[in-house]
Amino acid sequence: MPYRLPAEWEPQEFVLLTWPNETTDWAPYLQDIRQTMTEMALAIARHEKVVILSMFRNDVPDQLRTTENVMVVELPNNDTWARDFGPIVLKRMPSAEGNEGMEPTVWLDFRFNGWGEKFLADWDNQIPKKLWESLALAGKAGYENHQDFVLEGGSIDTDGQGTLFTTSQCLLAPHRNQPLTQAEIEEQLKRRLRVSRVVWLDHGNLVGDDTDGHIDTIVRCAQENTLVYVGCDDTDDEQYEDFLALEKQLKTLRTADGRPYRLLRLPMPEPIYEGQGTRGKGQEASAEGQEAERLPATYANFLIINGAVLVPTYAQPKKDAEAMRIIQQAFPDREMIGIDARTIIRQHGSVHCLTMQVPSGEE
């Protein structure tokens, strides 16, 4: 097996972002989300390269276009969720017989169909191949067409050692890969992603999540057989029982060599509803007679980059600080960078969802 799926904390070549524009659902608060993404891009650029996709180059502010380590590529796109339509990149195994002449990385181009045909995705689905071509990666990074299989980057995570984590509620959701069974999907994942085993989680779907339960909102892999996960302490929270079941399941899991995982428990943010405090703004009145929509705030949606971790925050000082402290335990040698994610969650994602890391080909 000459290639493997690397862990997110391994050395990265760049992080991919997609710039929001006025034709998307971001339009009502476009300046707010652009401010948030500018902060993210500048934070990442201090540590590694950033590639920003944009419908129009001049939409990206001069502050970013003139920043070292930032590259802007013009490509048509439907939305900003690079995690789910971006390439999933494998890394060549350490030098061994038979690997000579192989590209150090290979881009896997899976089909993105708008989270089960919920949203328009025709342009987004073309991005991995078009970006690979735009960056002139032929001969430098391989390319594989997997358009016959639906897979979103936010629906999987890995320890980089052959174990893949995913959720049954997402990969078995309607309009993904039916009529394949769970066992058949597992075999496809193993073959295409070059992993040796798949761990399925069955609980922990955030209220307000429209991805059908992406794993990067609830459980994340970290170094030394560590799983960082979201817990819920409020017995009155509508999510309490489901996240209690998730925690129980995590405690039963074992590593490939039979050891229990080190578990680090993140707090659940206080409920945040649509219209409530976006980037420091006050409570807005909801439409009369309508119940405010709960947004899928989570601390698990952090992004690991070279030398740092971008952690979503929600203007909840005590819980924000606790989340940063716990994630620091998982990555003790990296800088913790808080990113105000209150605008991002208005479109039902967070920091990790807006990004896709591309690993370095160096061994």
Side-chain angles (χ1 to χ4, degrees):
M1 193 178 292
Y3 288 98
R4 66 180 180 87
L5 183 64
E8 190 170 311
W9 56 84
E10 296 184 41
Q12 297 173 9
E13 185 68 24
F14 65 84
V15 169
L16 179 66
L17 297 173
T18 308
W19 199 249
N21 65 75
E22 64 275 1
T23 69
T24 68
D25 291 340
W26 294 111
Y29 31 88
L30 189 61
Q31 292 310 308
D32 285 345
I33 188 60
R34 285 180 169 179
Q35 180 182 341
T36 299
M37 293 192 69
T38 297
E39 293 169 4
M40 289 175 58
L42 291 174
I44 297 167
R46 295 203 309 268
H47 295 270
E48 63 183 271
K49 296 176 184 176
V50 182
V51 174
I52 300 177
L53 304 182
S54 181
M55 291 282 281
F56 306 103
R57 179 178 177 82
N58 289 339
D59 278 354
V60 180
D62 289 343
Q63 182 184 15
L64 290 179
R65 286 188 280 123
T66 59
T67 295
E68 187 177 1
N69 270 352
V70 174
M71 172 190 290
V72 178
V73 177
E74 282 192 351
L75 278 180
N77 56 81
N78 302 107
D79 211 335
T80 55
W81 307 108
R83 177 62 45 181
D84 295 334
F85 57 72
I88 296 174
V89 181
L90 305 183
K91 189 170 181 174
R92 187 176 59 194
M93 297 287 281
S95 298
E97 186 177 352
N99 285 5
E100 296 84 359
M102 298 178 63
E103 294 94 340
T105 59
V106 59
W107 289 35
L108 306 187
D109 183 3
F110 289 95
R111 182 155 58 96
F112 175 63
N113 70 349
W115 307 281
E117 301 175 354
K118 296 186 184 75
F119 303 97
L120 191 65
D122 54 335
W123 282 340
D124 288 347
N125 186 46
Q126 299 177 48
I127 283 175
K129 184 176 183 181
K130 288 185 177 296
L131 179 60
W132 183 84
E133 293 170 342
S134 296
L135 297 178
L137 294 179
K140 302 174 184 177
Y143 169 86
E144 288 184 6
N145 187 330
H146 291 267
Q147 284 284 315
D148 59 335
F149 191 79
V150 176
L151 187 67
E152 300 133 24
S155 70
I156 58 172
D157 202 357
T158 184
D159 60 2
Q161 302 177 58
T163 297
L164 187 80
F165 291 82
T166 191
T167 64
S168 55
Q169 58 262 43
C170 178
L171 266 64
L172 302 180
H175 307 291
R176 294 302 211 283
N177 290 300
Q178 287 79 9
L180 296 182
T181 65
Q182 181 171 337
E184 290 169 335
I185 290 173
E186 180 168 322
E187 286 307 308
Q188 293 286 338
L189 294 172
K190 288 179 179 178
R191 178 174 65 83
R192 296 171 190 263
L193 295 171
R194 282 74 153 182
V195 295
S196 54
R197 70 176 191 138
V198 178
V199 176
W200 296 81
L201 300 178
D202 303 310
H203 307 281
N205 196 356
L206 287 171
V207 174
D209 173 28
D210 53 15
T211 68
D212 299 307
H214 275 185
I215 195 165
D216 71 347
T217 64
I218 59 169
V219 178
R220 300 292 305 283
C221 293
Q223 301 165 95
E224 299 180 357
N225 293 322
T226 298
L227 297 178
V228 184
Y229 72 100
V230 176
C232 183
D233 294 318
D234 183 359
T235 56
D236 293 327
D237 192 314
E238 58 192 311
Q239 304 176 125
Y240 176 78
E241 293 294 338
D242 195 28
F243 276 83
L244 179 61
L246 171 67
E247 188 170 47
K248 290 179 178 178
Q249 184 178 12
L250 292 175
K251 290 178 179 178
T252 69
L253 298 182
R254 295 296 179 266
T255 63
D257 57 3
R259 292 178 293 167
Y261 284 92
R262 174 193 182 209
L263 299 178
L264 295 178
R265 189 178 193 266
L266 291 168
M268 177 79 70
E270 296 297 326
I272 302 175
Y273 297 91
E274 175 57 39
Q276 179 182 5
T278 301
R279 289 198 65 91
K281 295 178 182 178
Q283 176 75 41
E284 301 170 14
S286 59
E288 186 176 354
Q290 292 185 359
E291 185 176 348
E293 177 186 19
R294 183 169 179 174
L295 302 174
T298 171
Y299 292 112
N301 207 247
F302 54 83
L303 172 69
I304 310 161
I305 62 173
N306 296 340
V309 181
L310 272 60
V311 180
T313 61
Y314 301 100
Q316 299 177 16
K318 186 175 180 180
K319 290 199 171 185
D320 291 350
E322 177 70 1
M324 298 269 267
R325 183 187 66 80
I326 292 168
I327 296 170
Q328 183 78 79
Q329 290 180 33
F331 302 98
D333 298 329
R334 298 184 192 236
E335 177 188 4
M336 296 291 112
I337 303 173
I339 299 291
D340 186 336
R342 287 174 295 161
T343 298
I344 310 175
I345 61 171
R346 295 185 73 174
Q347 286 300 318
H348 309 279
S350 198
V351 171
H352 195 250
C353 301
L354 288 175
T355 65
M356 174 56 86
Q357 77 284 344
V358 172
S360 167
E362 296 180 4
E363 295 182 2

